[in-house]
Amino acid sequence: MTGAGTDTLHADVLVVGAGPAGLAAAARLAAAGAGRVEVLEREAQPGGVPRHCAHGGFGTWTHPLTGPRYARLLTEAAERAGAGLRTGVTALDWAPTGPVLTTVGPGGPQTLSARAVVLATGARERPRSARLVPGTRPAGVYTTGELQQAVHLFGQHIGTRAVVAGAADVSYAAAGTLRAAGTEVVALVTEHPRAQTSRVRAQAARLRDRVPLLTGTTVTELLGHGRLSGVRVRHRDGRTAVLRCDTVVFTGDFVPDHELARRGGLALDPGTRGPAVGGTGHTSRPGVFAAGNLLHAVEPAGTAAREGARTAGAVLDFLAGAPWPDPGVPVVVDAPLRWIAPNRVVPHRVALGRRTPAAPPAPHFLRTGIPLPRPVLYVRQDGRLLHRERPGPGTALPERTLTLTARWHDRVDPAGGEVRVSTA
């Protein structure tokens, strides 16, 4: 970095976001000798969302960890590799040219420049206001992240009776947090005909046996002044009812935290609403990469960390002189599929100055808008069938990820039209 007394600081790589993707990228970059690697984090502590997820399920099957422990291990790995962690620093905007960011932190405003920038700003849950749920503004309304921080980071009292809007894995995690705080969970409410949970989540399975689940039901109004007194719900047949509670938690409905990407003029994918990228994290702006749940809201922390490490390999190639790739061929989905990531296929080429062996192409993640019994995915370009694949047994659910392999990439015509993925 430059000496004291200057307003502009310089690094080789700036990583924006100290969640699993950002920390994994920083650890690999620093360990590989990428030069000065600086991680910017607007929160007071690094680690991202796992910091306040006290439940297990992080790490690996053989070494399961709680969220805080997983966050500490990622942070320690980045620090041990030599990456610098700057907490309480918010990246505000970009300079007109080059990978240069304006920031504000404990020491005031600063300008930071780098040879490469990795955006790992993650995702957020949409709050009640963005979901257009009417009513007053009473206390006792949370998203999952707000609830977990209040309970696990700040030890705040929540309430006595709660309704959870949603019935996915994150919803049952919220219910578990409420119960741990001594709050009775009145019901989980979902518009879907069934819970959207993974069968392997033991905690969710236990909670399903003890918490009422209202399917085909939506929260339509918040009641109460000063403090929440209940929520009005509507069933699929049009009937309404009031559930008496002093707390409601809106879960799921994640969106990429893409404000910095948008302000940087990066091309965004209309499906994911995150930066449009191929499997190596290159964005439309040379020198700027993206990784983790900024690209797909939202996948598990382990998936984000693996993507961060993979993107770090592409950053190393770029620092060694590899040219910035062409935008590639767009990959889009047909309804009822909602989005796919990565959403570009870059024509195969030999990267110049590779410092690391070429990694196998990253798989694609997809989401569906409705349940699909035993779906088959078809990949086509200009009407030509490139690939056919069954992503797994059973029914695909809206809150569960479908995975599509990249075995068809070498069949894509770089001069052809967009690649379309459909279920028929």
Side-chain angles (χ1 to χ4, degrees):
M1 311 281 287
T2 57
T6 60
D7 293 327
T8 301
L9 303 179
H10 302 280
D12 293 285
V13 184
L14 289 176
V15 179
V16 185
L23 291 172
R28 181 176 178 187
L29 287 164
R36 181 171 290 276
V37 178
E38 293 287 330
V39 184
L40 312 181
E41 171 56 52
R42 65 187 176 193
E43 298 288 339
Q45 298 293 328
V49 170
R51 289 183 307 122
H52 50 78
C53 294
H55 56 81
F58 296 84
T60 66
W61 286 106
T62 55
H63 295 87
L65 303 168
T66 63
R69 177 60 177 154
Y70 183 70
R72 286 195 298 272
L73 289 178
L74 289 175
T75 301
E76 291 166 0
E79 291 178 326
R80 190 166 54 248
L85 298 181
R86 301 162 58 86
T87 57
V89 176
T90 300
L92 300 174
D93 211 340
W94 302 78
T97 59
V100 180
L101 292 170
T102 57
T103 70
V104 64
Q110 274 186 332
T111 299
L112 289 86
S113 67
R115 299 168 61 194
V117 172
V118 179
L119 297 182
T121 49
R124 64 180 184 272
E125 287 175 297
R126 294 205 306 162
R128 163 265 182 111
S129 58
R131 304 178 196 224
L132 303 180
V133 178
T136 59
R137 292 187 174 182
V141 182
Y142 297 87
T143 63
T144 311
E146 292 170 339
L147 169 72
Q148 292 174 332
Q149 291 190 49
V151 173
H152 298 307
L153 296 186
F154 306 117
Q156 295 178 356
H157 174 70
I158 298 304
T160 58
R161 289 169 55 85
V163 169
V164 176
D169 287 334
V170 66
S171 313
Y172 283 97
T177 299
L178 289 164
R179 292 174 68 93
T183 303
E184 177 190 358
V185 181
V186 176
L188 278 83
V189 177
T190 177
E191 62 184 338
H192 299 293
R194 55 179 286 188
Q196 310 292 300
T197 57
S198 167
R199 296 178 181 177
V200 301
R201 300 265 180 167
Q203 181 189 37
R206 290 194 297 270
L207 282 168
R208 280 197 296 267
D209 295 335
R210 294 180 287 174
V211 178
L213 174 64
L214 303 181
T215 60
T217 304
T218 56
V219 175
T220 59
E221 186 181 1
L222 304 186
L223 307 175
H225 296 273
R227 178 79 194 192
L228 186 74
S229 63
V231 297
R232 190 180 308 279
V233 297
R234 177 179 292 114
H235 302 287
R236 181 172 291 129
D237 60 8
R239 293 180 297 114
T240 63
V242 172
L243 303 179
R244 295 297 173 187
C245 60
D246 57 14
T247 304
V248 62
V249 184
F250 290 96
T251 67
D253 199 4
F254 289 92
V255 293
D257 204 341
H258 67 195
E259 179 65 17
L260 190 60
R262 186 183 63 79
R263 293 190 67 86
L266 275 62
L268 302 181
D269 179 76
T272 63
R273 291 177 284 185
V277 296
T280 50
H282 294 81
T283 71
S284 61
R285 182 168 180 166
V288 180
F289 298 79
N293 281 323
L294 169 64
L295 302 177
H296 42 60
V298 62
E299 294 295 323
T303 299
R306 287 190 293 273
E307 288 185 349
R310 177 188 292 273
T311 298
V315 176
L316 290 170
D317 292 338
F318 173 71
L319 296 178
W324 201 255
D326 295 330
V329 179
V331 183
V332 299
V333 296
D334 290 334
L337 299 176
R338 292 167 43 206
W339 55 255
I340 184 169
N343 33 58
R344 295 291 187 275
V345 174
V346 178
H348 176 73
R349 60 180 176 80
V350 178
L352 300 178
R354 289 203 68 93
R355 297 176 59 175
T356 55
H364 297 264
F365 301 115
L366 305 92
R367 289 289 176 93
T368 174
I370 62 173
L372 296 174
R374 294 178 57 81
V376 177
L377 300 177
Y378 297 88
V379 183
R380 297 181 175 90
Q381 184 185 32
D382 299 328
R384 177 171 57 95
L385 181 65
L386 306 181
H387 183 66
R388 177 183 181 276
E389 181 176 326
R390 188 183 295 278
T395 299
L397 300 174
E399 299 300 324
R400 305 302 304 168
T401 300
L402 297 172
T403 302
L404 175 65
T405 63
R407 293 193 293 264
W408 47 273
H409 281 194
D410 58 354
R411 304 187 188 104
V412 174
D413 179 4
E418 62 187 13
V419 173
R420 305 196 71 87
V421 181
S422 67
T423 58

